[in-house]
Structure formats: structure tokens, C-alpha cells
């Protein structure tokens, strides 16, 4: 028997028509990953870790039958289909779409392909603001704190604007 589980994803874009990029990603996630349960507002932030165009960021919750590694593979395919070009230099760059798995139920996963919860999510307001909007009282599985507490403890000083 397959069980549906809730995963939280972060979506970001800073190239082209940002609203369309987010909507297209949401549509493909709904078609290929599982039913969208909740979508945050859009938040505008400066590029993080490099000089580039401003980003639009959202978080969504999705009910899925996929296991975490299969989920990641499908999300990478969606990114590619929407025009995401990756370099192997492990540096931050402009992107048409970026989709990250933040949480997968309350699981803690360390594998060669994926780490859940996302290892840098607590350092980034552009991730936490939209996530807290849709999952304020959810617990971070490692910190054992509610997400809104994690946001209050975030040391990221960058500005964030709700669109």
C-alpha cells in the first residue's frame, strides 16, 4: 500500500517572466508530483550569494506518493523542462526556476542524492518567510522547534518584500 505524504518545496526564479515561471512550475508539480495543498504568497528578495536580478520565491506543500529520491529526480526534470541550466561549479547563478525539497513529513534523510531537511534552509529568510506562511507551527525535525521560531532566530539580514 502506498501512502501519501506531505512535502514542502521552495521555488525561486530571477529570469524572464517570474510569475509565469512560478506558475508553470506549480502546474508541472501538480501534474507530476502530487496534489498541491497550499501555496504561499510571492516574496521578492535580492539575489543571495552573488550579484544578480531579484528573485521571486514561494513555498508550496504537496501531497505525494513519491519517495524522496524519486521526488528529487522528478523535480530536476521539471527544472530542466522549464529551462533551468545547471553548471557543475557549485556556485550561485541566475536561474529561470529553482525547486528545493525543504521538508518531507518529519523525516531526516542523509543520502548521496538528497539531504532533508534542506541543510541551509534555516539560514535563508527567502526560504523561511514563505514556508512559515503555510506551515508556521510545523516542527523542524532536527531543531525540534516550530518554523516560526526558526524564522525569528534566523541571522539572515537581507530584506524581503511580500508581492
Amino acid at each position: 500500500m502506498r501512502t501519501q505524504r506531505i512535502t514542502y518545496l521552495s521555488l525561486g526564479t530571477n529570469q524572464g517572466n517570474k510569475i509565469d515561471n512560478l506558475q508553470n512550475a506549480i502546474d508541472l508539480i501538480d501534474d507530476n508530483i502530487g496534489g498541491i495543498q497550499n501555496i504561499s504568497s510571492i516574496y521578492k528578495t535580492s539575489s543571495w550569494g552573488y550579484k544578480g536580478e531579484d528573485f521571486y520565491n514561494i513555498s508550496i506543500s504537496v501531497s505525494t506518493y513519491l519517495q524522496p529520491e524519486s521526488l528529487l529526480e522528478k523535480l530536476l526534470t521539471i527544472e530542466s523542462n522549464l529551462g533551468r541550466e545547471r553548471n557543475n561549479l557549485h556556485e550561485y547563478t541566475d536561474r529561470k526556476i529553482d525547486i528545493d525539497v525543504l521538508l518531507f513529513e518529519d523525516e531526516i534523510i542523509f543520502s548521496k542524492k538528497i539531504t532533508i531537511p534542506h541543510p541551509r534552509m534555516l539560514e535563508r529568510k527567502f526560504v523561511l518567510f514563505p514556508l512559515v506562511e503555510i506551515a508556521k507551527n510545523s516542527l523542524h525535525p532536527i531543531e525540534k522547534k516550530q518554523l516560526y521560531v526558526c524564522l525569528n532566530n534566523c541571522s539572515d539580514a537581507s530584506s524581503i518584500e511580500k508581492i
Side-chain angles (χ1 to χ4, degrees):
M1 180 171 123
R2 297 187 323 162
T3 304
Q4 279 194 331
R5 294 159 59 199
I6 300 296
T7 185
Y8 290 92
L9 308 176
S10 175
L11 286 70
T13 177
N14 78 331
Q15 290 183 319
N17 186 322
K18 298 171 192 176
I19 301 289
D20 284 351
N21 294 346
L22 293 172
Q23 186 61 59
N24 291 336
I26 290 167
D27 292 343
L28 287 173
I29 289 167
D30 191 55
D31 290 345
N32 297 285
I33 304 298
I36 306 292
Q37 303 299 302
N38 212 337
I39 303 172
S40 75
S41 302
I42 299 171
Y43 291 85
K44 178 182 169 184
T45 59
S46 298
S47 56
W48 203 86
Y50 74 104
K51 296 279 187 206
E53 294 294 318
D54 288 343
F55 272 84
Y56 281 11
N57 297 284
I58 63 171
S59 285
I60 64 174
S61 60
V62 181
S63 179
T64 186
Y65 288 110
L66 297 174
Q67 294 299 312
E69 289 188 355
S70 299
L71 169 66
L72 178 62
E73 288 174 23
K74 286 191 177 273
L75 291 174
L76 291 172
T77 299
I78 289 170
E79 285 182 344
S80 179
N81 289 343
L82 292 175
R84 171 80 189 260
E85 296 178 13
R86 292 185 175 271
N87 65 39
N88 292 327
L89 303 176
H90 302 292
E91 59 188 33
Y92 297 114
T93 61
D94 292 325
R95 60 208 74 167
K96 192 167 181 183
I97 194 71
D98 182 42
I99 308 170
D100 290 324
V101 179
L102 301 177
L103 300 168
F104 193 88
E105 294 274 319
D106 59 355
E107 291 191 27
I108 299 171
I109 301 166
F110 295 99
S111 76
K112 289 181 181 180
K113 293 184 179 182
I114 191 167
T115 301
I116 300 174
H118 191 284
R120 290 172 301 283
M121 68 181 274
L122 298 179
E123 303 166 8
R124 299 170 172 177
K125 273 201 228 175
F126 70 85
V127 171
L128 288 172
F129 259 89
L131 180 60
V132 165
E133 182 182 321
I134 63 171
K136 177 180 181 176
N137 293 312
S138 295
L139 288 180
H140 187 279
I142 294 173
E143 295 294 316
K144 303 291 189 215
K145 294 178 183 170
Q146 292 170 310
L147 292 173
Y148 80 90
V149 173
C150 295
L151 174 58
N152 289 337
N153 294 333
C154 181
S155 61
D156 180 2
S158 59
S159 65
I160 187 162
E161 175 188 345
K162 189 174 182 179
I163 300 293

